[in-house]
Amino acid sequence: MNPCKKNCTCDRCKPCLPSKIKAIDPCQVQPVPSPAYGNFFRETSVTLNANQPMPWNGIGRTAGITLNPDTVTIEVAQAGDYYIDYYALVELDSTTNINALMGVFVNGNEVNPIQTRYGIQDLETDRNLCAPVSGGTIIFIPAGGTVQLRNVQLSSFRTCDGPALAASINLIKVS
């Protein structure tokens, strides 16, 4: 129970607060940062050449994160740690494309590949299939930073058409 009067100022309240309250200073309340999140997806198949970023043709819920008009660059307004997860449904066939490898880029530079590169490989020669490539990580993104999901292998690959999404990426600010 606060022993201070209802409309007192911080300077007048401090002396009358119990001395055992030391965890926080009631007059130093920090504003809660606004949330930041974004969901971007691709509904149709696309061929990604080496080092080409994924073009997004759909936008889900967003706050503080936008898709640039180039459709491949996601811009983050607030600096912070972000959880990023991504998914792509990749077409693997026995003649031209047996693997796919994707990575996350921030401001044009690949984030540590050990942390953000995920891929798939199919060495079976008797079938064609659509297989998911998915990954997730927590990384720091500066204010105004840009994010891209790119094909990081030397050859091209194609994403699959429905019934599922061809690709998606989610960014959620965690701090």
Side-chain angles (χ1 to χ4, degrees):
M1 181 163 125
N2 186 347
C4 295
K5 293 181 182 176
K6 190 173 186 177
N7 292 320
C8 68
T9 65
C10 285
D11 290 335
R12 290 191 349 230
C13 275
K14 282 182 182 179
C16 62
L17 290 174
S19 61
K20 292 181 181 178
I21 299 176
K22 294 183 180 185
I24 62 168
D25 181 347
C27 296
Q28 298 279 332
V29 176
Q30 299 294 321
V32 175
S34 58
Y37 52 86
N39 166 245
F40 307 93
F41 53 90
R42 174 135 197 111
E43 297 174 272
T44 57
S45 66
V46 63
T47 299
L48 290 180
N49 296 318
N51 202 40
Q52 182 179 351
M54 178 68 72
W56 307 107
N57 64 3
I59 300 173
R61 301 277 300 173
T62 64
I65 299 176
T66 57
L67 181 62
N68 286 355
D70 66 5
T71 74
V72 298
T73 305
I74 298 165
E75 188 166 333
V76 174
Q78 299 177 41
D81 293 320
Y82 285 80
Y83 174 70
I84 296 178
D85 78 353
Y86 64 85
Y87 161 91
L89 191 58
V90 176
E91 184 179 292
L92 300 175
D93 65 58
S94 58
T95 57
T96 60
N97 187 31
I98 60 167
N99 57 25
L101 189 61
M102 303 187 80
V104 174
F105 286 67
V106 172
N107 292 335
N109 299 304
E110 186 175 11
V111 177
N112 183 355
I114 294 171
Q115 187 179 357
T116 66
R117 274 190 183 189
Y118 289 87
I120 189 164
Q121 184 175 44
D122 179 29
L123 298 176
E124 293 187 36
T125 58
D126 62 343
R127 67 177 179 169
N128 297 339
L129 65 115
C130 288
V133 173
S134 63
T137 191
I138 297 173
I139 60 172
F140 177 80
I141 302 174
T146 60
V147 177
Q148 292 181 331
L149 178 63
R150 293 187 194 175
N151 171 3
V152 292
Q153 66 184 24
L154 297 177
S155 60
S156 64
F157 64 80
R158 183 169 181 78
T159 62
C160 298
D161 270 331
L165 287 175
S168 70
I169 189 168
N170 298 297
L171 295 87
I172 303 168
K173 188 173 188 295
V174 293
S175 71

